[in-house]
Structure formats: C-alpha cells, structure tokens
Amino acid sequence: MQNNRRSFIHHCTGLALAGATPWALASSGSYPDKTVRIIVPYPAGGATDNLGRLAGQALQQALGQSFIVDNKGGGGTTIGTRALAQSEPDGYTLGMMDSTFTINPGLLGARLAYDTQKDFTPICQIASAQFVLVTHPSVPVKDLAGFLAKARAEPGTLAYGSAGVGSGPHLAGEQLAQQAGLKVIHIPYKGGGTVISDLLGGQVQFAFATVPTLAEHIKAGKLRALAVTGPQRAPQLPDVPTFTEAKLPGVDIMPLFGLIAPKGIPAAALDKISRALRASIRQGEMQARLRSMGFEPVGSTPAEFAQRIQEEVAKWTEVIRKGGIRPE
C-alpha cells in the first residue's frame, strides 16, 4: 500500500511538471533545462556580438546548458531590443546591450517601442572600454592642451567623424565640445570602419574610438593619441594621459556592455545567471579573455547594473538635449 501511494505521488508530480509554465520551471532548481537564447541587436562580428558569445560560453560551462546567440541587427539596435522586450520573461531569452541602449532614450524619446528602464531587468554588466581621442599627424599639435588651443583659436575648422548621429563616438565629441567650450564639426558616417579609413587619410582631423580599435594605428605613428577616458591610463597606451589628468573629467564616456532580460524574469533564474556570470568575469578564464580583447572586466550585480544604466540614461539625455542633437 505504501509503495502504491509513493508511485501515485511521483506520477502526479510528473504530470504537474509536464504541465507547468516556463516561469514555474525557471523558478525551480531545474533551470535551465533547455537552450537559452541571447539576442544581440547587431549583425555578427562586432564587439557586442563577441562579448555576447563569450558570455554564452561562460554560462554554458557554468550551468551545463546551451546558450546560443541570435543576431537581430537593424534600427540602431531597436529591432533586436524590441524583440527582447516582447519575449516571454521565462529566463530562456536574454539580450546583450551596449551604450546605444542608454543613448537611445534621449535620442529617440517616444519613438522607442519599449521603455529602457521599465521593460527590462539588468543582469550583469560584463565589461567597459576606454575611448581614446586621436588626431591625424597633419594636425600640428602634440598634446591635448595644444589641440584645445588650436580648436579655440580656429573655431569650426576641425572636423571629426563618427559611426552616426547619436553613436558613442559622436557623443564623446559632443562631450568634449561642451566641456571645453569648442566649436567643431561633426561628420556622421554609415559605420565605424569608414571613419577610421578617412581619419587615416586625413579627410577628418580627429575622432574618438575604443582603445583596442586604434591602438595599433597609434603605435605605428599613423595617429596621435591625446587622451583616454576612464579613471586610469589604458594598459595598451601607458604614455597617454587621462582626461581627468588633463583637467577635463567631464569627458568620461566609457562604453558599457552587459546582459539583460525581459522584465519579469523569475528571481531564481536571474540569481543563477547573474552569479554564474559574475564568478566567471571576476575570477575565471573570461576575465583574462576580456583583458586580452582590450576590455575592462566589471561583473556587477543586477542592482549595481540597474543603477549604472539609470545614470547613463540621465547623462546622455542631458548631453543630447544640451547639444540639440536630433536623430537622422
């Protein structure tokens, strides 16, 4: 009789689990029990895509389940991000974000099909990256002070390129102009690669980009580095001062990369993913991989990441408002 009763209980438990919602399963110890999708709002091959794949590998190793990247580029990241917002919050669809996620609210406003701070749950900031200000060697300056003096003496003559209106490099140039009182010309391109080509050819006089993007050109003498963002000098460019050292701490753009989920992800799934990813970033192989790629590992908690996103949205909204920037 006792054995029959146990068999009946096990049978009922099996039926209950079979009919359970994904949210219930994600809240149980079984999460993840199937493949997890990571939406990257870019085509394959860029920094955000690379970091998404790196995060997926780390989570797969830690949690014993497949994490695959789903590239949904277009719309200045809004297509992929909207798809994430509309996904079931069951823990099986996650998404990568970068600084465009925090810039778009100020740039696009009501045109966004989602609310950046209400429709998502931050999981973990994976990394950040330093920007470097560079000039073409034909610009007759040796350091940031010389560049600022020239720009002030000849307003409207120095031009910089970016990957488009509202891109990180564009807003870095706008930050510099606002903080230092400069009048410079912004030339938006369709992508970052063309900017670098024209910068190397002298068609634009200066630009901002991540340190890994420009380090080799700087070391080869094809570009001159004037200053880097961030609290410390970049390991790849130890002789280049920070903007803080140059008395312009307000030029502080540090692109951030992180993992987010649709609002409402089960707390157990959120905790499991966040803990596993933080452990890998802070003390695992992933930390060394990030540094070798030129990124600064972060590994923040969900609360810390949410606070950082809030601060970044407020900052870029104000820069965009003050600069009168409108989307293309």
Side-chain angles (χ1 to χ4, degrees):
M1 184 71 178
Q2 183 77 4
N3 288 338
N4 288 339
R5 185 169 181 271
R6 285 177 182 170
S7 297
F8 176 74
I9 291 172
H10 289 162
H11 176 68
C12 290
T13 301
L15 289 175
L17 285 174
T21 66
W23 292 270
L25 289 173
S27 298
S28 74
S30 64
Y31 176 85
D33 66 350
K34 64 179 181 179
T35 297
V36 180
R37 180 172 61 129
I38 300 176
I39 295 176
V40 173
Y42 291 97
T48 307
D49 177 65
N50 291 337
L51 291 183
R53 294 176 189 278
L54 191 61
Q57 291 168 9
L59 288 170
Q60 182 168 316
Q61 184 175 4
L63 301 180
Q65 189 55 257
S66 295
F67 283 73
I68 62 169
V69 165
D70 181 7
N71 296 96
K72 290 185 179 295
T77 74
T78 61
I79 292 175
T81 307
R82 180 179 61 199
L84 177 65
Q86 295 172 344
S87 299
E88 289 186 351
D90 56 6
Y92 290 94
T93 303
L94 311 175
M96 282 294 295
M97 59 74 70
D98 60 15
S99 291
T100 303
F101 182 78
T102 62
I103 290 169
N104 276 342
L107 185 67
L108 300 176
R111 278 181 277 184
L112 278 180
Y114 50 83
D115 188 310
T116 299
Q117 297 188 77
K118 293 182 179 180
D119 293 342
F120 304 94
T121 297
I123 297 175
C124 178
Q125 181 182 343
I126 295 169
S128 63
Q130 290 176 276
F131 263 25
V132 57
L133 168 63
V134 296
T135 60
H136 186 267
S138 63
V139 181
V141 300
K142 299 296 184 184
D143 52 25
L144 182 60
F147 175 83
L148 297 179
K150 181 174 177 60
R152 288 168 180 149
E154 303 172 16
T157 61
L158 294 178
Y160 74 102
S162 82
V165 172
S167 65
H170 174 204
L171 295 189
E174 183 63 34
Q175 263 196 328
L176 176 63
Q178 291 180 12
Q179 294 291 321
L182 308 181
K183 184 179 180 182
V184 293
I185 300 169
H186 171 236
I187 302 177
Y189 288 74
K190 294 297 184 182
T194 312
V195 178
I196 304 305
S197 296
D198 276 10
L199 178 63
L200 291 169
Q203 281 77 31
V204 292
Q205 286 74 53
F206 71 101
F208 280 88
T210 59
V211 170
T213 301
L214 298 180
E216 292 306 313
H217 296 307
I218 293 167
K219 292 174 182 177
K222 296 177 180 179
L223 297 172
R224 181 177 294 121
L226 303 183
V228 297
T229 60
Q232 300 171 338
R233 296 190 179 196
Q236 303 97 317
L237 303 172
D239 297 328
V240 180
T242 66
F243 278 97
T244 299
E245 289 178 272
K247 311 302 181 187
L248 278 177
V251 183
D252 63 355
I253 185 168
M254 287 275 289
L256 66 161
F257 305 85
L259 195 67
I260 57 178
K263 194 70 174 181
I265 180 176
L270 172 64
D271 184 65
K272 209 167 193 179
I273 298 165
S274 177
R275 286 179 181 273
L277 193 53
R278 292 201 318 267
S280 182
I281 293 168
R282 292 179 176 181
Q283 60 195 27
E285 179 186 347
M286 189 174 177
Q287 182 181 97
R289 291 282 303 279
L290 287 168
R291 292 194 188 281
S292 71
M293 295 164 67
F295 296 101
E296 181 61 32
V298 177
S300 61
T301 66
E304 291 168 341
F305 192 21
Q307 179 65 30
R308 177 72 193 278
I309 288 173
Q310 183 179 358
E311 292 168 354
E312 290 286 294
V313 169
K315 177 173 70 177
W316 295 125
T317 298
E318 177 60 17
V319 170
I320 290 166
R321 184 202 64 79
K322 188 174 179 180
I325 298 170
R326 298 289 180 268
E328 293 177 298

